[in-house]
Amino acid sequence: VIMKMVTAALWLAPPGVASLIAGNLAGSCDPSGLVAALGLFIFNILLGLTLQSVVLALTYLGLTRKNPITFITGMSEALITAFGTDSSSAALPVTIRCCEQNNGCSKDVCMFVAPLGATVNMNGTALYEASTVIFLAQVNGVSLGLSGTIVVAFTATLAAVGAATIPSAGLVTMIMVLEAVDMQEYISDIAYILAIDWFLDRFRTTVNVLGDGIGCGIVDHFYKESQKEAGFQDLDEGSGTPRRRAGSKLQMDDTVPPQVHSTLGDSDDELEPNKLHMEM
């Protein structure tokens, strides 16, 4: 029964969304101007996500001194999966595989950073929510001011961290951002965004996954640097297998402390009396 109800809701969703959009457009004083504003809104979101991707690449370059284009190329399969599935969780296995196999990141780092990033790293969603609230404020003639804009940016960041890793989850948490700046009476205007959210959500999910991969690359860089400073090296890089010290100070045969070696060395002499004692 529940599956039939869900199926019916899915079938009714497209005409329902179309009715909401048509009603808002019909009630608008300038429908053509609203459509033009939506076009500028789409351009603004795509431009912001592009700039954010450039910032991520420059951050990777500045912290690791490595070519970000090579790293992003290695992440191409994960980015395509994120764009197609519109979900960071669905692209998570591909993200881990691309970071580990294509970019040479340690398996330990990938298994920790990538799932954590898929949960809390919603940089594209944060940008989208803040831009959407500012857009709705401008459409309705609400002046946010400097303080209101700061509140929107801060609240959108927190709301994006708590957003689920499913398609269009940002529309739900966007209500929190609207309420933070006393714009709850304009919650119904989110219907303007529903018609284009499926398109923009794919781009911001792609940026989210790119941020997860960049995070893995940066953490892996500092992880390997710390291993080198400590004198450790990976036996099989990226496989997560045990590690040993490099050099002659600690070899594989020297993992046992010297006092244990001396005890083992005298074991033949000490076991003989014990053996005789047991026989007696």
Side-chain angles (χ1 to χ4, degrees):
V1 177
I2 295 178
M3 292 301 297
K4 291 183 179 179
M5 294 174 60
V6 172
T7 303
L10 291 176
W11 278 103
L12 292 175
V17 172
S19 300
L20 288 173
I21 298 172
N24 283 302
L25 287 177
S28 176
C29 298
D30 186 11
S32 60
L34 181 59
V35 173
L38 284 174
L40 293 176
F41 171 73
I42 295 174
F43 175 77
N44 174 68
I45 295 296
L46 295 180
L47 179 62
L49 293 176
T50 302
L51 293 177
Q52 195 166 24
S53 302
V54 173
V55 170
L56 290 173
L58 293 177
T59 303
Y60 179 81
L61 174 63
L63 293 178
T64 64
R65 302 299 179 183
K66 297 179 182 177
N67 188 357
I69 304 301
T70 304
F71 188 91
I72 295 175
T73 302
M75 289 286 300
S76 58
E77 185 179 355
L79 299 179
I80 293 174
T81 304
F83 186 85
T85 60
D86 196 12
S87 172
S88 300
S89 294
L92 181 58
V94 186
T95 303
I96 295 175
R97 186 174 71 248
C98 288
C99 290
E100 183 181 351
Q101 297 180 1
N102 298 344
N103 293 319
C105 297
S106 173
K107 183 178 180 180
D108 297 335
V109 173
C110 295
M111 295 299 292
F112 175 76
V113 177
L116 181 64
T119 305
V120 301
N121 179 38
M122 300 292 180
N123 44 9
T125 303
L127 183 145
Y128 175 76
E129 291 187 3
S131 300
T132 302
V133 171
I134 294 175
F135 167 74
L136 293 178
Q138 292 176 347
V139 168
N140 292 282
V142 177
S143 178
L144 294 175
L146 179 61
S147 59
T149 304
I150 294 175
V151 170
V152 167
F154 182 74
T155 310
T157 302
L158 296 181
V161 171
T165 56
I166 57 175
S168 299
L171 292 177
V172 179
T173 56
M174 194 181 299
I175 298 176
M176 299 169 53
V177 186
L178 289 171
E179 292 178 347
V181 288
D182 295 328
M183 290 180 57
Q184 53 268 17
E185 64 268 23
Y186 303 114
I187 292 178
S188 60
D189 291 342
I190 296 179
Y192 294 131
I193 313 299
L194 290 176
I196 57 177
D197 182 72
W198 66 271
F199 175 71
L200 296 176
D201 193 22
R202 298 180 183 276
F203 288 95
R204 65 176 186 263
T205 302
T206 304
V207 174
N208 291 340
V209 173
L210 177 61
D212 299 342
I214 293 293
C216 285
I218 293 174
V219 173
D220 181 74
H221 171 76
F222 287 106
Y223 171 74
K224 291 178 179 177
E225 288 293 326
S226 64
Q227 291 294 311
K228 290 179 181 179
E229 292 177 0
F232 284 84
Q233 64 179 2
D234 288 336
L235 292 177
D236 186 8
E237 187 172 320
S239 65
T241 54
R243 300 169 177 83
R244 63 180 176 87
R245 288 189 182 274
S248 58
K249 290 185 178 180
L250 184 60
Q251 302 297 335
M252 292 297 291
D253 296 334
D254 296 332
T255 56
V256 183
Q259 60 270 23
V260 180
H261 271 296
S262 61
T263 303
L264 294 176
D266 300 333
S267 60
D268 294 334
D269 298 332
E270 293 177 2
L271 287 176
E272 194 64 30
N274 294 335
K275 182 179 180 182
L276 294 175
H277 178 72
M278 292 298 294
E279 290 177 355
M280 293 176 62

